[in-house]
Amino acid sequence: MRCPFCGNIDTQVKDSRPAEDHVSIRRRRFCPACGGRFTTYERVQLRDLVVIKSNGKREDFDRDKLERSIRISMQKRPIDPERIDQMISGIVRRLESMGETDIPSKTIGEIVMEALARIDTVAYVRFASVYKNFQAADDFDKFVSELRPDVPPEEE
Ligand SMILES: [Zn+2]
């Protein structure tokens, strides 16, 4: 980070902590060239989120993929599409506000299940049943394809 006082690019981070809103990290920086001190706020950009699989592999977070798996688990459920959109945005916001760019796939699955459980039990059961295999297989593409219906019949 370039020093705003003297232009030196080699500044040091003295202190990092979550800002009060918990969607950003506040960093106190120090410039060894001029002694200047300044503060930066670091915010997660969704496109920078990285999913860490349980086998340690990294993969760029893909909102469309997430949305696909959620929509498939909600297929033919009597739920307002707008509500699904809101739920997905809420999940993404939660991921963004974790203050970390690296997010374990397990954490994403748990957040999705939590959100689904609040909205629709059937969708939750569909998602959760596939999620178990997903954790073993740890392959998100497989996960999405297994969620295609002809998965559990309506249980009402
Ligand atoms: Zn400086």
Side-chain angles (χ1 to χ4, degrees), residues 3 5-8 11 31 33-36:
C3 171
F5 307 110
C6 73
N8 169 34
T11 57
C31 172
C34 73

Side-chain angles (χ1 to χ4, degrees), residues 116-128:
L116 284 175
R118 279 201 297 268
I119 289 191
D120 187 72
T121 317
V122 171
Y124 166 74
V125 169
R126 285 177 184 166
F127 190 94

Side-chain angles (χ1 to χ4, degrees), residues 53 59 65 68 134 139-146:
K53 300 178 166 196
E59 182 177 275
K65 233 187 220 184
R68 218 150 51 228
F134 166 51
D139 180 336
F140 202 76
D141 291 317
K142 189 167 176 241
F143 176 52
V144 171
S145 63
E146 283 181 7

Side-chain angles (χ1 to χ4, degrees), residues 15-133:
D15 182 49
S16 296
R17 63 181 59 174
E20 272 172 36
D21 58 4
H22 284 276
V23 298
S24 54
I25 304 276
R26 183 177 181 273
R27 296 199 199 282
R28 294 288 302 151
R29 293 178 186 266
F30 171 74
C31 172
C34 73
R37 288 169 193 277
F38 58 104
T39 302
T40 56
Y41 288 88
E42 179 181 302
R43 201 170 267 279
V44 170
Q45 296 292 325
L46 184 56
R47 64 174 183 278
D48 293 336
L49 287 180
V50 174
V51 179
I52 310 293
K53 300 178 166 196
S54 61
N55 63 10
K57 280 194 184 148
R58 302 161 62 86
E59 182 177 275
D60 288 341
F61 175 76
D62 183 346
R63 182 192 163 122
D64 293 340
K65 233 187 220 184
L66 176 73
E67 185 168 340
R68 218 150 51 228
S69 66
I70 290 172
R71 288 198 185 279
I72 290 167
S73 69
M74 291 199 144
Q75 241 172 34
K76 296 188 180 146
R77 298 298 303 152
I79 299 156
D80 186 355
E82 210 169 291
R83 192 132 185 248
I84 301 178
D85 278 338
Q86 280 172 3
M87 184 190 80
I88 293 167
S89 296
I91 291 169
V92 169
R93 261 200 308 279
R94 275 186 67 181
L95 296 174
E96 286 175 310
S97 65
M98 293 176 79
E100 298 285 341
T101 52
D102 294 1
I103 301 178
S105 55
K106 192 167 182 273
T107 305
I108 298 175
E110 279 161 8
I111 289 174
V112 170
M113 285 197 287
E114 220 180 278
L116 284 175
R118 279 201 297 268
I119 289 191
D120 187 72
T121 317
V122 171
Y124 166 74
V125 169
R126 285 177 184 166
F127 190 94
S129 66
V130 179
Y131 179 75
K132 275 185 199 155
N133 298 329

